[in-house]
Amino acid sequence: MPTTRISIMARLSPWKYASNPLTYGTGSVGTYPRAVQTAFQDFQSQAEGRPDPFSRYTQPRLIDEARAAVASLLNVRTDECVLVKNATTGVNTVLRNLEFQPGDVLVYFDTVYGAVEKALVSLLETTPLQIRKVPYQFPISHDELVARFLATVHAAKDEGLNVRVAVFDTIVSMPGVRFPFERLVAACRAEGVLSCVDGAHGIGQIPLDLGALQPDFFTSNCHKWLYVPRGCAVLYVPRRNQALIRTTLPTSWGFIPASTSPATAASTMRRSAGSKSPFEQLFELVSTTDDTAYLCVPAALKFRAQVCGGEDRIYAYLETLAHEAGDAVAAALGTEVLQEPGLKDGEVSQLRRCALATVRLPIAVAAAAAAGTGARATLLSTQVAEVVGDMQQSLVRDYGTFLPVFAHGGWLWTRLSAQVYLEKSDFEWVGGVLDELCNKVVRKVAVAKE
């Protein structure tokens, strides 16, 4: 069956939701089909029917099955994968376990996810860690991003500092573009820097072979693109680095005390039956929460294989549709899709090799950006938050859908998310919607100037 027909699922409606499918296509929090919902509800019913047997005996076995399934997808060992609530938790778990010394530096990028940057600020308050941000704004090429990263690392080393770890994305959240994470992992390895990959938008959206890539740490949300209920994320730590991870967040039964810790009952590690490693036991029982989303990984992968036609078919459809979607919306607005500057005919944008497309709106937030570009309106800095809020609220209230709108590089942009239940016609429709909203902004700005 041709790749372009995968979206027949939209007509077969395996997703529960019958309203505008774009509502579930933003890439923000993810959704899942009815088959996975059925499995999810069945696990929850089992948990409530017999809470103690389920939590003590059934759930651990099912979590192991889920870990094995996701490890197979990532091409790594099961004992190198555990499940956590989300990628933010995964990144925080890694960073809170690293014991930073005076002179240690963490390098990260200008478009880091906001919650992760706040975690870095928190680390500054409680550890001797220093941070260095790689400055840039899109559009920019992968070559330039890697070059700026290396320049930042070398500058820190020239100061006599120890660059301990780098944090970077697989796919940036906003603007929604693919990051050169493969090259950055290799650069970290060459520079003796630990690589911590925030793959929040990775698994289920693009092919990932961690066995070949060998990052030092990797985490990715299964609930954004893999069709697993919220919240579920995989945390991959290769065996060579597992000794660095001694506690979960919060610290719980699997805590691995340091050799210098007092030998008290409180610090004794809980041992489960079988031959699981200390790293696996660490995450086996963290706290009393509803972890039934974790158990749905096999059901999600089964759906992707049997209904969607398999991983390769999904990835190909998503990237193709994202290109069509971005081009269609940009044409409707008279703008362009975010990609590397100066691409020649036939050249493939590396930034667009994913299921997200970022399209410029004809609304400037800086007069310099608007000059000679045909901007419909230019906002004052005091207007930006209000206009963004109004546009997003109108999308939900008046059009029954949602798209993130944000400022970057002197303009407003929107992020489109290709999904298997969407088609090009859905984005042609949203192009008209955005055109209407931009015209409303123009009229509002004109009135404010009178």
Side-chain angles (χ1 to χ4, degrees):
M1 185 179 294
T3 297
T4 54
R5 301 307 299 164
I6 195 172
S7 60
I8 192 173
M9 290 197 300
R11 290 182 286 278
L12 295 177
S13 191
W15 262 260
K16 174 185 176 183
Y17 315 100
S19 61
N20 188 330
L22 277 165
T23 300
Y24 309 99
T26 66
S28 298
V29 292
T31 189
Y32 47 94
R34 289 177 177 175
V36 176
Q37 183 189 46
T38 298
F40 187 32
Q41 292 175 336
D42 180 56
F43 290 134
Q44 289 177 322
S45 295
Q46 291 182 51
E48 296 310 312
R50 301 188 70 199
D52 277 290
F54 184 85
S55 63
R56 294 174 184 272
Y57 306 110
T58 305
Q59 181 166 282
R61 172 179 57 81
L62 294 174
I63 287 179
D64 288 345
E65 292 176 6
R67 290 172 47 235
V70 76
S72 177
L73 179 62
L74 297 174
N75 190 32
V76 293
R77 297 169 54 102
T78 300
D79 63 6
E80 295 178 317
C81 290
V82 293
L83 298 173
V84 294
K85 290 300 183 183
N86 49 54
T88 301
T89 300
V91 172
N92 273 264
T93 298
V94 170
L95 298 182
R96 287 292 177 184
N97 272 279
L98 298 180
E99 297 180 4
F100 295 110
Q101 304 299 323
D104 281 354
V105 172
L106 180 150
V107 175
Y108 71 110
F109 287 80
D110 214 331
T111 50
V112 67
Y113 185 60
V116 171
E117 186 165 37
K118 289 185 180 296
L120 302 185
V121 173
S122 174
L123 282 168
L124 294 182
E125 296 179 354
T126 56
T127 74
L129 177 69
Q130 299 182 48
I131 59 176
R132 296 288 187 275
K133 182 188 289 189
V134 180
Y136 67 97
Q137 70 178 32
F138 289 110
I140 188 174
S141 69
H142 278 191
D143 287 345
E144 182 63 21
L145 282 166
V146 175
R148 293 195 185 193
F149 170 73
L150 289 172
T152 302
V153 170
H154 294 160
K157 288 183 174 181
D158 288 344
E159 295 177 42
L161 300 172
N162 173 43
V163 183
R164 180 80 186 286
V165 60
V167 178
F168 49 88
D169 300 301
T170 51
I171 295 166
V172 177
S173 178
M174 283 189 286
V177 295
R178 182 163 175 154
F179 219 57
F181 66 95
E182 301 98 332
R183 293 175 60 182
L184 290 169
V185 167
C188 285
R189 187 178 302 116
E191 294 291 335
V193 177
L194 292 172
S195 55
C196 180
V197 184
D198 179 358
H201 281 277
I203 192 168
Q205 180 180 169
I206 57 174
L208 292 169
D209 184 345
L210 301 189
L213 184 63
Q214 282 294 300
D216 289 303
F217 307 98
F218 180 94
T219 185
S220 189
N221 290 319
C222 299
H223 56 248
K224 282 189 183 292
W225 295 90
L226 201 66
Y227 314 150
V228 176
R230 297 174 294 275
C232 175
V234 58
L235 172 60
Y236 162 76
V237 181
R239 289 192 294 172
R240 67 179 184 274
N241 290 330
Q242 289 180 3
L244 297 173
I245 307 299
R246 298 193 298 108
T247 183
T248 53
L249 297 180
T251 298
S252 194
W253 294 99
F255 170 65
I256 304 169
S259 58
T260 55
S261 293
T264 64
S267 66
T268 301
M269 185 171 60
R270 173 183 175 270
R271 290 283 179 183
S272 62
S275 57
K276 289 183 182 177
S277 67
F279 174 71
E280 292 173 287
Q281 294 178 60
L282 179 61
F283 291 86
E284 191 167 61
L285 179 61
V286 177
S287 59
T288 304
T289 61
D290 183 357
D291 293 336
T292 47
Y294 296 176
L295 316 183
C296 296
V297 171
L301 292 176
K302 179 180 179 181
F303 179 86
R304 292 168 69 88
Q306 295 184 355
V307 178
C308 304
E311 296 300 313
D312 290 342
R313 190 161 174 245
I314 293 172
Y315 304 143
Y317 181 77
L318 295 183
E319 186 171 335
T320 298
L321 179 58
H323 279 73
E324 294 175 345
D327 292 345
V329 172
L333 297 174
T335 61
E336 73 276 335
V337 183
L338 182 60
Q339 60 184 29
E340 299 90 328
L343 284 180
K344 299 176 182 178
D345 290 342
E347 284 189 297
V348 176
S349 168
Q350 298 302 303
L351 296 176
R352 295 180 67 180
R353 288 180 50 234
C354 61
L356 298 176
T358 301
V359 179
R360 182 173 64 81
L361 303 185
I363 308 296
V365 296
T373 59
R376 298 186 195 176
T378 302
L379 305 178
L380 300 174
S381 59
T382 54
Q383 295 174 298
V384 174
E386 180 183 356
V387 167
V388 168
D390 287 348
M391 292 183 76
Q392 293 188 154
Q393 190 173 59
S394 182
L395 283 163
V396 174
R397 181 188 63 235
D398 303 326
Y399 299 97
T401 190
F402 180 81
L403 297 166
V405 177
F406 57 95
H408 183 80
W411 292 92
L412 291 187
W413 301 77
T414 190
R415 188 188 71 191
L416 310 174
S417 173
Q419 300 282 0
V420 295
Y421 43 81
L422 298 176
E423 296 177 328
K424 182 180 178 181
S425 60
D426 293 309
F427 295 98
E428 292 171 336
W429 171 81
V430 88
V433 168
L434 288 169
D435 189 55
E436 291 177 16
L437 289 176
C438 289
N439 287 333
K440 289 181 181 178
V441 172
V442 171
R443 292 193 292 270
K444 183 174 182 178
V445 170
V447 170
K449 289 181 178 179
E450 292 178 355

